[in-house]
Amino acid sequence: MQIPIKRSIEAVPGGMMVVPLLAGALIATFFPGTPKFFGSFTGALFSGALTILAVFYVCMGASIDFRATPYIVKKGGTLLFVKVGIAVILGLVFGRVLGEAPVAAGMFAGLSTLAVVASMNDTNGGLYMALMGQYGRPRDVGAYTIMSLESGPFLTMVTLGIAGLSAFPWQTLVGAVLPLLVGMIIGNLDREMRDFLSRAIPVMIPFFAFALGTGLDLSKVWQAGLLGLAMGVAVVVVTGIPLFFADRITGGTGVAGVAAASTAGNAAAVPAIVASANPAYADAAGPATILVAACVVVTAILVPVVTAWTARTFGRPEDAEAAAPVDASAAPAQPVGGR
């Protein structure tokens, strides 16, 4: 007898991230002594998030191809610049008001600069590529090879530094991006290693999600209810509108920009990594993880709906190209991997 476990998990938006995260949080809330009681490998699963993430980012880097056509660089670079630019602006604004600490009470309890920046900085690559595969062109899918540089805590740390908050030593900044760079070098030197490492990307997600969940207290999750929903909607609106116009400026219809207005599943891991690098963010990390996880779910639901509406209203990219065919030699191979 077969039980469709994987299919059931994937039926939940962002399920491979959200379901293990919730499972870890349930155990930590109701059976907090579990890791100490069992110890050994079982205990290690509860505390190994950073180690698993280090391996994850090596594999993610291996999926990024250095060789990209000018169109991919232009499209992906523009969307990357706009998405990160919005996070920087919001980081400056919220940094002036909140600093490093989260809001302590009230309807905005748990909101922090870290939560805002982490939720805005990183695009759900798997969702973007799936939507562009349906509504876009192969080379729009390929733009994610550039956008995937958002992956990991590096840009979030840089953004927080630009916002004038607690800075990170250069060694920490380099260390945050080094696994990704090592993976990129390995993957571009050997295609077989790229294929080999890229296949591990989706496998790692539920394991680091579970480990992150074990650090959450579900008694505080209810606080993320309406606030988490509002933040998810804010990600789609605040990043989606500028990305829509950025896509049109680079020759698109706006569909690719809207498809990029989401929060990546692995962005929920960023607050914990940032806090481990700088204790000033320790109080904000737990609530931020919950809020960012909520953004992952909300944007995974909203972005496909808004992208479909954008394609119906403004046309698909291939429709816009009908009167001006593009040289087939400019179309790249589809990128490996996703989030």
Side-chain angles (χ1 to χ4, degrees), residues 269-324:
V270 169
I273 300 173
V274 170
S276 70
N278 191 329
Y281 298 97
D283 291 339
T289 299
I290 296 171
L291 289 173
V292 175
C295 290
V296 174
V297 177
V298 173
T299 59
I301 296 171
L302 285 182
V303 168
V305 175
V306 179
T307 301
W309 176 84
T310 304
R312 287 196 306 270
T313 305
F314 298 95
R316 302 187 181 196
E318 63 267 24
D319 297 334
E321 280 190 330

Side-chain angles (χ1 to χ4, degrees), residues 16 31 65 79 86 124 135 145 151 158 190 210 227 257 268 293 299 318:
M16 279 298 175
F31 308 100
D65 195 341
L79 296 180
I86 293 169
N124 186 327
Y135 298 108
T145 58
S151 241
V158 171
D190 186 347
F210 175 82
L227 181 58
T299 59
E318 63 267 24

Side-chain angles (χ1 to χ4, degrees), residues 86-298:
I86 293 169
V88 169
I89 293 172
L90 291 175
L92 288 167
V93 173
F94 280 88
R96 296 287 183 184
V97 177
L98 300 178
E100 296 92 348
V103 176
M107 64 182 296
F108 295 106
L111 181 66
S112 63
T113 308
L114 176 60
V116 172
V117 172
S119 64
M120 298 283 177
N121 245 343
D122 204 347
T123 296
N124 186 327
L127 179 64
Y128 171 83
M129 289 189 288
L131 289 172
M132 293 316 296
Q134 181 176 358
Y135 298 108
R137 301 164 290 194
R139 52 194 187 138
D140 287 315
V141 176
Y144 180 67
T145 58
I146 304 299
M147 295 163 62
S148 60
L149 294 174
E150 299 166 344
S151 241
F154 176 73
L155 288 178
T156 297
M157 291 181 181
V158 171
T159 301
L160 292 171
I162 293 173
L165 303 179
S166 295
F168 298 85
W170 70 267
Q171 298 96 324
T172 300
L173 291 174
V174 173
V177 76
L178 195 56
L180 191 75
L181 292 176
V182 169
M184 290 173 66
I185 293 170
I186 293 173
N188 281 272
L189 288 176
D190 186 347
R191 290 184 181 179
E192 291 185 2
M193 283 298 292
R194 171 181 296 163
D195 295 339
F196 172 71
L197 293 173
S198 296
R199 286 194 292 270
I201 294 173
V203 175
M204 296 285 179
I205 293 174
F207 290 100
F208 75 66
F210 175 82
L212 288 170
T214 61
L216 302 179
D217 183 355
L218 280 182
S219 64
K220 299 178 181 178
V221 169
W222 66 271
Q223 296 175 356
L226 290 177
L227 181 58
L229 174 63
M231 278 191 62
V233 173
V235 170
V236 177
V237 174
V238 174
T239 68
I241 293 174
L243 286 169
F244 170 83
F245 287 107
D247 182 40
R248 291 183 70 87
I249 290 172
T250 55
T253 62
V255 174
V258 174
S262 60
T263 301
N266 61 348
V270 169
I273 300 173
V274 170
S276 70
N278 191 329
Y281 298 97
D283 291 339
T289 299
I290 296 171
L291 289 173
V292 175
C295 290
V296 174
V297 177
V298 173

